């Protein structure tokens, strides 16, 4: 790993390195990833050395206070090791990239729209726990509660690698807060995850294939409603993919972000088509398909979150809905490796 970093640094030191901006950007990103990984391993090596020294001293002195301090340090260190263990499972070409995440409620009106809002909160809490940055690209509020659709950008190391485990249909079973008869309802929402593409990933988009519409961004009224049409909706005519962005006040910025989302979705579409061709060739059953139910969150009559791909079950539903998703992500990645 260190040798790879030295090779990249040597390339960046060449006089003509910056002549090819696309290649230079790719090398710079790869260098940053390697520097981060090397830094992590050095940090862990240093921490292990410190903990070893503390253990020896505690054994020699029998100091109860030192033993308590060692236990506290180990408890703080374990989540760091767990996070690195998951990261080591991320070997896909685009796993280190940022992610674009979209949530759409299923049939069921207010119930499903509220469930989609709960999922959005779950992913935002998860991202915040990682120190990732979340930006809302497009948001359409529900009629009474929740949301009709949302697209967010989640920026952080390996954001796509982690979140690709969340793509699919999520099912909620609960006593409805919107039902005066307090009946149990089942709601569904779909989660889509796309990698944010770097410049070196070629996705050809012809201008003639695009239909671009502008409209006024939604808001709470008064000064919050744009007086000009800054929001952008782009339709890719050959595939029928529609993306829109209304988060920025500038039409130019909204268009740039909408094009970024479109590139990501077209790349994912192409990847899925190639995957399906390989499955037909080898007659293998697809493990996870878009639109399949991947996880159930049951709040009534008992409390349980179950992943239907890995059979992992967690009884602390509140913790999961507060963003503790790493056990499910790790189980999914381990299954893929196996």
């Amino acid at each position: 790993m260190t040798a790879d970093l030295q090779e990249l640094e040597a390339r960046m030191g060449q006089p003509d390195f910056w002549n090819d901006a696309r290649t230079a950007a790719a090398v710079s990103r790869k260098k940053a990833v390697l520097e981060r990984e090397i830094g992590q391993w050095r940090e862990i090596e240093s921490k292990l050395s410190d903990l070893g020294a503390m253990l020896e001293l505690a054994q020699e002195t029998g100091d109860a206070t030192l033993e308590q301090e060692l236990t506290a340090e180990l408890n703080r260190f374990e989540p760091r090791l767990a996070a690195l263990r998951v990261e080591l499972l991320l070997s896909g070409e685009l796993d280190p990239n940022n992610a674009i995440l979209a949530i759409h409620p299923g049939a069921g009106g207010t119930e499903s729209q509220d469930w989609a809002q709960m999922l959005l909160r779950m992913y935002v809490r998860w991202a915040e726990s990682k120190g990732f940055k979340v930006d809302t690209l497009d948001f359409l509020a529900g009629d009474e509660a929740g949301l009709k659709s949302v697209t967010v950008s989640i920026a952080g190391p390996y954001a796509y690698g982690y979140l690709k485990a969340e793509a699919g249909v999520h099912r909620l079973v609960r006593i409805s807060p919107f039902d005066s008869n307090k009946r149990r309802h089942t709601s569904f929402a779909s989660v889509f995850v796309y990698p944010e593409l770097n410049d070196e990933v070629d996705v050809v988009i012809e201008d003639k294939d695009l239909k671009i519409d502008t409209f006024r961004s939604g808001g709470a009224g008064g000064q919050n409603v744009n007086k000009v049409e800054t929001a952008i909706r782009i339709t890719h005519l050959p595939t029928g993919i529609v993306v829109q962005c209304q988060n920025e006040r500038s039409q130019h910025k909204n268009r740039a972000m909408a094009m970024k989302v479109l590139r990501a979705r077209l790349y994912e579409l192409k990847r899925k088509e190639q995957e399906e061709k390989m499955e037909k060739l080898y007659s293998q059953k697809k493990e996870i398909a878009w639109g399949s139910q991947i996880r159930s969150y049951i709040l009534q009559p008992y409390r349980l979150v179950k992943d239907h791909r890995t059979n992992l079950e967690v009884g602390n539903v509140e913790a999961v809905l507060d963003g503790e998703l790493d056990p499910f992500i790790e189980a999914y990645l381990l299954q893929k490796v196996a």
Side-chain angles (χ1 to χ4, degrees):
M1 192 179 294
T2 304
D4 292 338
L5 179 59
Q6 292 174 344
E7 180 183 344
L8 292 177
E9 289 175 339
R11 287 181 63 184
M12 294 180 69
Q14 297 295 322
D16 60 347
F17 175 75
W18 295 103
N19 291 349
D20 185 341
R22 173 180 286 191
T23 301
V27 172
S28 298
R29 276 189 290 269
K30 189 174 181 180
K31 176 175 176 287
V33 170
L34 282 175
E35 287 177 334
R36 178 177 176 274
E37 291 178 353
I38 291 172
Q40 286 179 316
W41 285 110
R42 286 175 176 170
E43 177 188 345
I44 286 176
E45 185 179 22
S46 174
K47 193 65 178 179
L48 284 174
S49 177
D50 293 343
L51 290 172
M54 287 181 66
L55 177 61
E56 290 181 7
L57 186 59
Q59 290 173 333
E60 291 175 1
T61 63
D63 188 337
T65 302
L66 192 57
E67 290 179 3
Q68 292 176 357
E69 184 180 347
L70 177 60
T71 300
E73 287 292 327
L74 285 170
N75 289 337
R76 284 191 289 267
F77 186 50
E78 198 282 331
R80 184 74 189 86
L81 281 178
L84 183 61
R85 183 172 64 243
V86 174
E87 199 168 294
L88 288 174
L89 299 172
L90 303 175
S91 58
E93 179 185 359
L94 298 179
D95 283 354
N97 291 24
N98 298 333
I100 296 170
L101 183 142
I103 303 173
H104 298 281
T110 302
E111 279 291 337
S112 294
Q113 292 171 12
D114 185 58
W115 172 224
Q117 180 85 57
M118 292 169 64
L119 284 174
L120 173 62
R121 177 185 178 274
M122 181 179 74
Y123 290 120
V124 169
R125 295 292 294 272
W126 174 85
E128 289 174 346
S129 73
K130 298 284 185 187
F132 292 174
K133 180 182 179 184
V134 181
D135 287 319
T136 301
L137 307 181
D138 186 62
F139 183 94
L140 182 60
D143 295 325
E144 298 179 26
L147 59 89
K148 291 182 177 178
S149 69
V150 65
T151 304
V152 298
S153 167
I154 299 179
Y158 291 92
Y160 173 68
Y162 288 117
L163 287 171
K164 67 183 181 183
E166 296 300 300
V169 172
H170 296 247
R171 170 176 173 258
L172 173 70
V173 180
R174 64 172 173 173
I175 298 295
S176 171
F178 307 100
D179 187 336
S180 59
N181 294 319
K182 301 300 180 184
R183 291 171 295 190
R184 191 165 68 232
H185 284 245
T186 299
S187 305
F188 297 89
S190 297
V191 175
F192 302 88
V193 182
Y194 313 101
E196 187 175 296
L197 300 182
N198 302 322
D199 292 337
E200 66 268 19
V201 179
D202 286 325
V203 177
V204 178
I205 302 177
E206 301 283 351
D207 289 341
K208 63 181 177 62
D209 292 335
L210 300 179
K211 177 187 176 186
I212 300 176
D213 299 305
T214 60
F215 58 98
R216 293 182 182 180
S217 297
Q223 294 179 348
N224 292 325
V225 176
N226 286 339
K227 302 300 189 294
V228 294
E229 295 184 339
T230 59
I232 290 286
R233 180 184 297 111
I234 300 177
T235 303
H236 187 250
L237 299 176
T239 61
I241 292 175
V242 179
V243 298
Q244 66 182 41
C245 185
Q246 57 179 319
N247 187 55
E248 302 290 344
R249 291 184 177 274
S250 161
Q251 186 182 110
H252 176 74
K253 289 182 179 179
N254 280 329
R255 175 169 178 156
M257 186 55 68
M259 286 298 294
K260 180 181 289 188
V261 176
L262 178 59
R263 290 183 72 238
R265 291 190 60 178
L266 287 173
Y267 177 88
E268 186 66 13
L269 179 64
K270 183 178 179 180
R271 185 195 65 78
K272 281 178 58 185
E273 289 174 348
Q274 292 175 338
E275 190 177 82
E276 288 167 0
K277 287 179 182 178
M278 292 299 292
E279 286 166 358
K280 290 179 181 178
L281 181 63
Y282 292 105
S283 300
Q284 294 177 341
K285 184 178 179 181
K286 190 171 185 179
E287 184 178 340
I288 297 174
W290 296 97
S292 65
Q293 181 177 306
I294 66 166
R295 193 176 302 147
S296 292
Y297 306 72
I298 303 171
L299 305 183
Q300 187 71 27
Y302 52 89
R303 305 181 73 80
L304 182 73
V305 180
K306 179 176 181 178
D307 194 293
H308 302 292
R309 302 162 299 178
T310 64
N311 291 322
L312 176 65
E313 297 181 353
V314 174
N316 192 345
V317 180
E318 288 78 9
V320 175
L321 292 175
D322 276 338
E324 293 188 14
L325 297 173
D326 283 350
F328 294 103
I329 292 173
E330 181 174 6
Y332 167 80
L333 293 172
L334 284 170
Q335 186 183 76
K336 295 290 285 185
V337 171

